[in-house]
Amino acid sequence: MNGIQTPDWQTPDWQKWTWQMRHRVHSLESLQQYINPTADEMAAIEATQGIFRWNITPYYASLMDADDTTCPIRRQVVPQMSEMQPDIVGVVDPLEEVAHSPVKNLIHNYTDRVAFCVTAECAIYCRYCLRKRMVGDAEQFMNKAELQEAIDYIAAHPEIKDVLLTGGDPLTFNEKNLEWIISRLRAIPHVGVIRLGSRLPVTLPYRVTDALCEMLSRYHPIWVNTHFNHPKELTQPAADAIDRLLRAGVPVGNQTVLLRGINDNVQVMQALLEGLVKMRVRPYYLYQAQLIGGTASFRTSIEKGLEIMQALQGRLTGFAIPKYVLDTPYGKVPLDRSYILGRSGDHVVMRSYQGPLWAEPNPLSAGESTTYALPEIEMPEGTKTIPTGAATFVPLPVV
Ligand code: SF4
């Protein structure tokens, strides 16, 4: 750590998750314990205030390279001025989750399942986050009455068989508060599977305590879906956390977001997937990065994703290869030849399982080379898309 001060990992409390949460990096001074921030990063810390929070657990900060600004850990969590650029295809809520929420923070898009955003708190704030509109926002935190209202909605809808607890990150709750929710859901006869979507096994693995695992094991079937993006995240503490979950009978799956300059590369993706399987984590989704305002620098072309998927075939065993998907307001679309019709200028056109054709704004980025080419097509009549110029985080320039 050239020129870096003695970091916090000298403390005997390092492995206590509550200590990690209390000592999250959120000032320039604390960041300088880990890296030498650039002028761009320092400016972005100021400029993004009030737009999107930033916090990094000391554990995750310790994985950052002190001087390499392309470090894949650093790029995921340290603000950059590119977030402040007007983003012509970026919006606030590309999946129309708010419109699909019958009560606060309960997204009912698929008939048989709901995503229940139980908190707006995360241990870190990923700069490309899909829920940038709500995570870290004090108004989006749920009080007990609001949580109960969502549970009552689930109880009143017998078609809901699967509840995903998400956020924010549900594992930022202590055992008592998490059990308050899980026990009420488990008491609803038609709720089968309860899933927890959490990045804490990656960003704060010490959160996966024996006490947490013991509590979860009393409410099976419980699944955990986590979110590793890069092989640098596959550390021993993360492997130990996964092992504790598996020993408690909790199957663990992983979803990765395809991120430009972080994992949009066959070798990196292969190393990530091989490492996950070694940890006994099933990689199940590779997500196309969403059209969140201010995240253009993270997005790749869909052709790049298809190229990577093609290269992985034959290099890895079948269950190590995730499904490449795009989330749309009409549900998830598998990104393969059976759903994609072709490219129409700056849009990729595809079938959705709900019926309408969907055109994803996906301009080919300057400087990005890919060997995969989609057929050029005319935009079919009636195709749905995100309107360019919809609400975003940074105002678009007036033309
Ligand atoms: S952990 Fe998940 S919800 Fe939280 S900021 Fe990162 S991507 Fe968003």
Side-chain angles (χ1 to χ4, degrees):
M1 302 283 291
N2 283 345
I4 306 290
Q5 299 163 29
T6 306
D8 290 328
W9 63 70
Q10 307 288 348
T11 170
D13 289 333
W14 182 260
Q15 295 189 13
K16 288 190 185 145
W17 78 274
T18 46
W19 180 91
Q20 288 270 339
M21 286 296 280
R22 276 199 310 276
H23 291 83
R24 283 180 293 172
V25 176
H26 62 274
S27 70
L28 194 53
E29 236 182 358
S30 53
L31 184 65
Q32 281 166 334
Q33 284 196 314
Y34 298 90
I35 63 170
N36 293 310
T38 63
D40 181 277
E41 288 166 334
M42 287 193 273
I45 285 167
E46 282 290 312
T48 56
Q49 275 185 37
I51 292 181
F52 190 45
R53 223 169 112 180
W54 75 288
N55 274 111
I56 313 171
T57 57
Y59 163 80
Y60 200 70
S62 74
L63 305 182
M64 294 193 287
D65 190 286
D67 294 304
D68 179 6
T69 54
T70 67
C71 166
I73 304 296
R74 181 167 169 164
R75 282 209 53 226
Q76 290 184 62
V77 284
V78 178
Q80 295 149 25
M81 280 309 284
S82 55
E83 295 174 37
M84 300 303 295
Q85 296 293 321
D87 182 352
I88 55 159
V89 296
V91 293
V92 168
D93 182 14
L95 304 182
E96 298 171 6
E97 290 187 328
V98 175
H100 285 108
S101 299
V103 298
K104 183 178 173 184
N105 290 344
L106 186 81
I107 305 157
H108 195 179
N109 194 5
Y110 300 90
T111 309
D112 65 330
R113 66 214 103 120
V114 286
F116 183 4
C117 301
V118 294
T119 178
E121 179 77 291
C122 286
I124 63 166
Y125 291 94
C126 312
R127 308 318 295 173
Y128 56 86
C129 178
L130 164 68
R131 304 225 169 91
K132 197 171 157 181
R133 69 170 195 282
M134 65 163 286
V135 295
D137 178 352
E139 286 185 8
Q140 298 294 336
F141 282 83
M142 300 280 277
N143 62 37
K144 230 172 188 173
E146 290 165 337
L147 289 168
Q148 187 63 56
E149 193 184 0
I151 294 167
D152 291 345
Y153 176 90
I154 295 166
H157 286 78
E159 71 276 18
I160 299 172
K161 299 181 192 135
D162 176 346
V163 178
L164 169 66
L165 301 184
T166 179
D169 199 310
L171 289 187
T172 57
F173 279 168
N174 63 26
E175 276 80 22
K176 189 167 159 245
N177 291 341
L178 192 56
E179 187 167 10
W180 186 90
I181 298 171
I182 292 178
S183 61
R184 278 160 179 75
L185 292 172
R186 185 45 75 226
I188 300 172
H190 54 264
V191 171
V193 172
I194 299 173
R195 295 182 283 155
L196 284 89
S198 173
R199 230 194 149 193
L200 266 66
V202 184
T203 61
L204 178 45
Y206 310 121
R207 170 64 190 100
V208 185
T209 58
D210 290 337
L212 172 73
C213 293
E214 190 280 322
M215 185 274 282
L216 294 178
S217 72
R218 283 188 273 115
Y219 296 98
H220 277 314
I222 300 272
W223 290 60
V224 165
N225 298 332
T226 190
H227 176 172
F228 287 90
N229 283 329
H230 192 275
K232 266 188 96 170
E233 296 169 338
L234 303 172
T235 63
Q236 193 57 51
D240 293 344
I242 300 297
D243 187 57
R244 284 191 288 276
L245 286 168
L246 295 172
R247 282 172 195 272
V250 179
V252 185
N254 187 69
Q255 51 187 46
T256 293
V257 181
L258 181 61
L259 297 168
R260 190 173 181 188
I262 292 175
N263 58 18
D264 63 336
N265 164 298
V266 177
Q267 285 71 34
V268 169
M269 193 61 76
Q270 182 173 352
L272 171 66
L273 299 173
E274 283 172 350
L276 285 169
V277 170
K278 264 195 208 154
M279 281 168 42
R280 292 170 292 152
V281 174
R282 166 84 154 90
Y284 70 101
Y285 277 144
L286 173 63
Y287 275 105
Q288 174 64 22
Q290 276 297 332
L291 301 175
I292 307 297
T295 67
S297 64
F298 289 107
R299 277 178 234 136
T300 66
S301 66
I302 288 176
E303 283 89 337
K304 174 54 81 178
L306 291 167
E307 177 189 295
I308 292 171
M309 291 304 295
Q310 198 172 46
L312 292 176
Q313 195 61 42
R315 291 188 189 215
L316 292 169
T317 187
F319 71 91
I321 302 180
K323 186 184 269 193
Y324 180 34
V325 294
L326 171 72
D327 235 335
T328 77
Y330 300 95
K332 280 185 191 63
V333 176
L335 290 174
D336 62 35
R337 281 298 179 105
S338 55
Y339 284 85
I340 299 177
L341 304 184
R343 173 171 283 281
S344 179
D346 284 344
H347 293 80
V348 174
V349 184
M350 59 198 76
R351 271 183 267 278
S352 72
Y353 91 95
Q354 291 182 13
L357 293 181
W358 177 257
E360 178 75 357
N362 184 245
L364 288 167
S365 16
E368 184 185 321
S369 71
T370 157
T371 56
Y372 202 101
L374 287 169
E376 280 292 335
I377 59 164
E378 290 288 319
M379 181 73 75
E381 198 68 24
T383 303
K384 310 279 187 200
T385 190
I386 290 170
T388 303
T392 188
F393 292 92
V394 179
L396 295 171
V398 181
V399 281

